[in-house]
Amino acid sequence: MKYSEISHFSHPQHKLRFEYSEFPFKCDGCKEVGIGSRYKCCSNTCDYDLHMQCAIPTSTLYHPFYKKCSFQFMSHPPGTIPRYCNACEKDVTGFVYHCKTCGFDLHPCCAKLPMVLDDGEIKLYLYSKVSSVCHRCGRKGRSWSYRSTCKRYNLHVACVREMLVENWHELYIGRGGRGGGRKIGTSIPSLKNTLYSAHSNSKGKKVKKCCEIAGLAVQFVISAVLGDPTALIAGIVGSFMSRA
């Protein structure tokens, strides 16, 4: 459910307003990268942003990958031992869904990743494990993955996270107030280059088509991991990728 304005326990001094932005931001709830739909502080004196998933969380969450688990929303990770997300394998430093029984943790955006990404032509299905290699790292296993119906295209959720973290300064420079970010320019296309390098020793239209489809698949995965798996954001990310 989406509201135009909300009050949030993590930022009680001001209300947060829903907005849609092409600028990447760092969520002040889960501390992860975001783009697109967000709740931003209504005050001009604040630079406070939340993913929709962090702004309007579910108190108790059940996930099909963990049928015996009951995840509770928490404003910070439990205990003193460093924790990581079981979906993307990255550190948990802010808002989190935690299962007290099993000890599993999920970032809010990871917990609510769509099980299917469908643009009408390509369908990508979310798996907890796949046997095929990832287009980004060339390895099997690791974190959750999105895989195409034809099973040719696979991308680890963890690899998308790594790419975003590695290129964070290219995505967003500084936190010096409203509009202080910069649009995606060089970091998202770097994944496109990685996809093409996998076929650097091959030739032909089939290879080119393979890479184009894989690149389109990547756009949807990036959009989902950033917290906004919509066609509009996929198109925005895709437009930046095409400039590489």
Side-chain angles (χ1 to χ4, degrees):
M1 187 176 292
K2 181 177 69 177
Y3 303 93
S4 59
E5 283 190 3
I6 63 170
S7 295
H8 200 273
F9 71 88
S10 65
H11 194 68
Q13 59 268 44
H14 302 121
K15 286 190 175 182
L16 305 179
R17 180 184 295 115
F18 176 82
E19 67 173 40
Y20 214 80
S21 174
E22 297 179 12
F23 291 93
F25 63 90
K26 183 175 181 179
C27 176
D28 290 292
C30 66
K31 316 301 182 186
E32 296 296 318
V33 185
I35 194 172
S37 297
R38 64 176 169 179
Y39 278 91
K40 188 171 186 64
C41 181
C42 295
S43 173
N44 291 326
T45 60
C46 287
D47 184 22
Y48 193 87
D49 305 286
L50 292 176
H51 289 117
M52 278 191 63
Q53 293 86 338
C54 293
I56 309 176
T58 304
S59 58
T60 301
L61 180 140
Y62 300 94
H63 199 280
F65 289 164
Y66 304 100
K67 296 182 179 179
K68 296 182 179 180
C69 292
S70 174
F71 291 91
Q72 305 298 315
F73 178 81
M74 304 180 74
S75 59
H76 54 81
T80 58
I81 300 174
R83 309 192 69 84
Y84 69 93
C85 174
N86 287 89
C88 68
E89 297 188 337
K90 298 305 170 186
D91 292 339
V92 172
T93 57
F95 291 0
V96 63
Y97 283 102
H98 174 71
C99 176
K100 295 181 180 179
T101 303
C102 302
F104 294 144
D105 298 284
L106 296 174
H107 288 126
C109 286
C110 291
K112 297 186 178 182
L113 282 172
M115 297 304 292
V116 181
L117 295 174
D118 183 3
D119 77 326
E121 294 183 10
I122 297 176
K123 283 188 178 182
L124 301 172
Y125 295 87
L126 185 63
Y127 291 86
S128 58
K129 292 182 180 180
V130 295
S131 58
S132 56
V133 298
C134 170
H135 271 87
R136 165 68 175 176
C137 67
R139 292 179 291 180
K140 299 180 181 180
R142 300 193 71 194
S143 70
W144 294 2
S145 300
Y146 273 106
R147 190 180 190 185
S148 63
T149 306
C150 65
K151 300 182 180 181
R152 290 185 179 182
Y153 315 113
N154 173 51
L155 191 68
H156 291 139
V157 171
C159 287
V160 177
R161 285 275 184 218
E162 284 179 0
M163 180 194 66
L164 296 171
V165 172
E166 288 169 1
N167 298 283
W168 174 245
H169 291 293
E170 295 294 334
L171 278 168
Y172 188 89
I173 298 179
R175 297 279 293 175
R178 298 172 69 88
R182 64 180 283 191
K183 291 185 179 181
I184 298 172
T186 59
S187 44
I188 293 298
S190 70
L191 183 55
K192 176 186 176 184
N193 295 334
T194 299
L195 290 170
Y196 274 82
S197 66
H199 299 296
S200 59
N201 296 324
S202 303
K203 296 181 180 180
K205 293 183 178 180
K206 290 185 178 180
V207 171
K208 182 178 179 181
K209 185 63 176 178
C210 169
C211 290
E212 288 176 350
I213 295 175
L216 181 60
V218 169
Q219 294 172 28
F220 295 127
V221 177
I222 291 173
S223 301
V225 173
L226 286 173
D228 202 336
T230 65
L232 176 59
I233 288 297
I236 291 170
V237 174
S239 69
F240 286 120
M241 288 182 69
S242 66
R243 298 174 191 173

